[in-house]
Amino acid sequence: MATTNHNYDKLGAGYLFPEIARRAKAYAEKHPGIVLHRLGIGDTTQPLAPSVVKALQDAAARLGKTETYTGYGDYEGELFLREAIRDLYRERNVELGLDEIFASDGAKSDSGNIHAIFDADNVIAVQDPAYPVYVDTNVMAGRTESYNTVTGQYVGIVYMPCNEYNGFFPELPTEKVDLIYLCSPNNPTGVVATHEQLKRFVEYACRHKAVIIYDAAYSAFINNPSLPRSIYEVPNAKECAIEINSFSKSAGFTGVRLGWSVVPKSLVAVDAPAGKLNALWYRRQSTCFNGASNVVQYAGAAALSPVGRRECQITIDYYMQNARIIREGLKSLGIVCHGGDNAPYIWAKTPNGLRSWEFFDQLLEQANVVTTPGSGFGPSGEGYIRLSAFGHRDATQQAIAGIKSNLKFG
Ligand code: PLP
């Protein structure tokens, strides 16, 4: 007699993006002929870099010939890709062993699966607001009680508020926590942690033998050289942090799928000497995952080649110009904006104390612009909306022009 995982019953309202899609669809059906401008979901829109396309084509062609066909690869990824990733870290003076790098099919899988190598009793702490995967996967794993509809929080999770009073980076937890999820640049706020801010968390984690799970999926958008792109730029971080990254946003691989995690050999937990967590992640991946697509790994290496980097940077710059258009446009209306300078997201404060969904509806109905309500990322996101810079330039310009000419305040 099969029974279900009742932890799934605890999950709060459905995933945020289906609800946004539902409202946008309902509005479009009620108003045939209108054009919706989508500044909501963080999906990429610009084509792959030419060198990446060539690598995909060449790799596919090799699979079409007996002499060059290959099947399963190493669970942790092809050596050439891990070398390219290692070299990327070297640019930031971070030295990694090749056996500390694990290629995957994306940062969502890794950020959703990494908890599996930690005991069910671990208390998790999350930035609030945060990418919903960190919370939801721990709910599914049974690390929480039920969802409290009044607080918008799961009992059992430590929420670390990120708000205008702390510059959208959390204070250190005051209670015992074991796993700390940090994301920088943060989705949704677009705010980047400084060296000093990360140092405080690294010192805390080392002191308490906690582990930081650091999601750097947007690190390629950091253009201020004084800001860290990797947590390993902070001394001792290899003893307390796992880092996750992705080709999705830096190289447009949202559909292609490729990411990686770094689990350093020197990482420790209370009951895990150096090397054990690295071995556990290898064990987990080799049991549940058969490696990233070989074709795609060639494409990833091409994206990290000097030519690929230059080509991908053009697309990153394009998105960052969109971010400027959004930020400057909203600011000209007196809307307070954060992020958008080293990240492809703009975190806009709702005017007149509107709730997130109220402002979402206003933008949809008055300007036909689809955004993402901040409250969907955690209770501290209430009173904000997230705008994404990943759209086409003309759609972004039209969306902002529409907001400027149609939005009625007061
Ligand atoms: N991490 C963060 C913070 C994200 O915002 C996203 C996607 O939006 C991901 C991870 C997922 O990345 P991937 O496409 O590599 O699975």
Side-chain angles (χ1 to χ4, degrees):
M1 197 171 64
T3 53
T4 58
N5 178 349
H6 284 282
N7 293 315
Y8 281 57
D9 300 337
K10 298 176 195 162
L11 289 167
Y15 197 61
L16 174 65
F17 295 106
E19 175 58 16
I20 294 170
R22 193 192 64 74
R23 288 197 192 202
K25 186 163 174 264
Y27 180 76
E29 279 169 5
K30 241 168 81 191
H31 302 87
I34 60 142
V35 179
L36 286 183
H37 304 298
R38 297 182 189 275
L39 298 183
I41 296 183
D43 196 1
T44 47
T45 56
Q46 297 308 298
L48 296 173
S51 56
V52 168
V53 174
K54 170 127 191 352
L56 285 167
Q57 289 167 334
D58 290 350
R62 283 194 294 277
L63 291 183
K65 290 197 194 119
T66 311
E67 314 81 67
T68 46
Y69 173 83
T70 52
Y72 292 124
D74 291 339
Y75 296 116
E76 68 275 37
E78 301 293 346
L79 202 56
F80 64 79
L81 176 64
R82 287 182 287 130
E83 282 169 352
I85 294 170
R86 178 199 58 192
D87 293 348
L88 186 69
Y89 280 90
R90 276 191 179 155
E91 289 174 18
R92 312 293 291 192
N93 296 320
V94 172
E95 194 58 41
L96 297 175
L98 294 172
D99 52 1
E100 296 180 306
I101 299 167
F102 298 81
S104 73
D105 63 350
K108 187 175 200 175
S109 310
D110 286 356
S111 59
N113 290 328
I114 195 76
H115 71 85
I117 60 171
F118 296 94
D119 190 75
D121 286 343
N122 280 215
V123 175
I124 76 149
V126 290
Q127 278 170 291
D128 169 25
Y131 181 51
V133 170
Y134 317 140
V135 167
D136 287 3
T137 52
N138 278 285
V139 174
M140 292 168 170
R143 288 202 181 86
T144 70
E145 304 292 322
S146 55
Y147 183 69
N148 182 328
T149 48
V150 177
T151 60
Q153 299 183 341
Y154 288 93
V155 179
I157 288 186
V158 174
Y159 289 78
M160 304 182 294
C162 299
N163 49 44
E164 56 191 343
Y165 305 107
N166 56 23
F168 296 94
F169 190 79
E171 322 297 338
L172 292 173
T174 48
E175 54 277 89
K176 168 191 150 29
V177 300
D178 306 305
L179 292 181
I180 303 167
Y181 288 82
L182 292 178
C183 180
S184 175
N186 189 26
N187 175 12
T189 62
V191 172
V192 184
T194 63
H195 279 276
E196 197 43 49
Q197 287 170 327
L198 290 184
K199 187 164 163 269
R200 275 193 276 129
F201 268 82
V202 165
E203 283 170 1
Y204 173 94
C206 287
R207 209 167 42 246
H208 295 273
K209 290 255 176 4
V211 171
I212 297 170
I213 296 162
Y214 189 76
D215 187 339
Y218 298 93
S219 59
F221 292 82
I222 300 175
N223 50 49
N224 177 343
S226 71
L227 292 168
R229 283 192 175 198
S230 163
I231 195 166
Y232 302 125
E233 293 176 46
V234 173
N236 304 324
K238 281 200 213 156
E239 275 112 80
C240 68
I242 290 170
E243 182 162 301
I244 295 168
N245 210 319
S246 171
F247 287 81
S248 281
K249 310 301 162 82
S250 58
F253 279 34
T254 47
V256 176
R257 310 302 307 143
L258 190 65
W260 75 87
S261 286
V262 176
V263 184
K265 290 233 163 148
S266 45
L267 178 67
V268 291
V270 175
D271 59 350
K276 179 151 184 193
L277 283 160
N278 174 282
L280 290 182
W281 184 241
Y282 181 83
R283 186 73 173 87
R284 191 270 166 208
Q285 290 298 78
S286 56
T287 302
C288 304
F289 180 64
N290 250 341
S293 152
N294 48 11
V295 174
V296 168
Q297 293 188 64
Y298 283 105
L304 293 180
S305 70
V307 177
R309 290 282 293 285
R310 273 198 299 280
E311 291 172 347
C312 289
Q313 188 60 45
I314 293 169
T315 307
I316 291 171
D317 292 345
Y318 174 96
Y319 291 135
M320 291 309 289
Q321 178 60 16
N322 284 350
R324 256 186 298 281
I325 291 166
I326 296 169
R327 205 182 52 217
E328 297 313 318
L330 296 183
K331 277 189 175 169
S332 73
L333 293 173
I335 295 174
V336 176
C337 293
H338 305 275
D341 40 9
N342 288 286
Y345 294 123
I346 290 90
W347 191 235
K349 190 167 176 163
T350 63
N352 304 322
L354 288 178
R355 294 179 74 75
S356 299
W357 276 110
E358 287 172 335
F359 193 42
F360 170 92
D361 285 336
Q362 199 179 63
L363 287 166
L364 179 63
E365 288 161 20
Q366 293 178 5
N368 300 336
V369 174
V370 183
T371 57
T372 308
S375 54
F377 297 94
S380 296
E382 185 54 88
Y384 290 88
I385 55 157
R386 187 196 77 176
L387 298 105
S388 160
F390 285 117
H392 294 285
R393 174 68 43 77
D394 52 351
T396 304
Q397 281 167 331
Q398 283 164 23
I400 294 304
I403 293 174
K404 278 169 118 174
S405 49
N406 295 311
L407 200 68
K408 298 174 202 71
F409 287 103

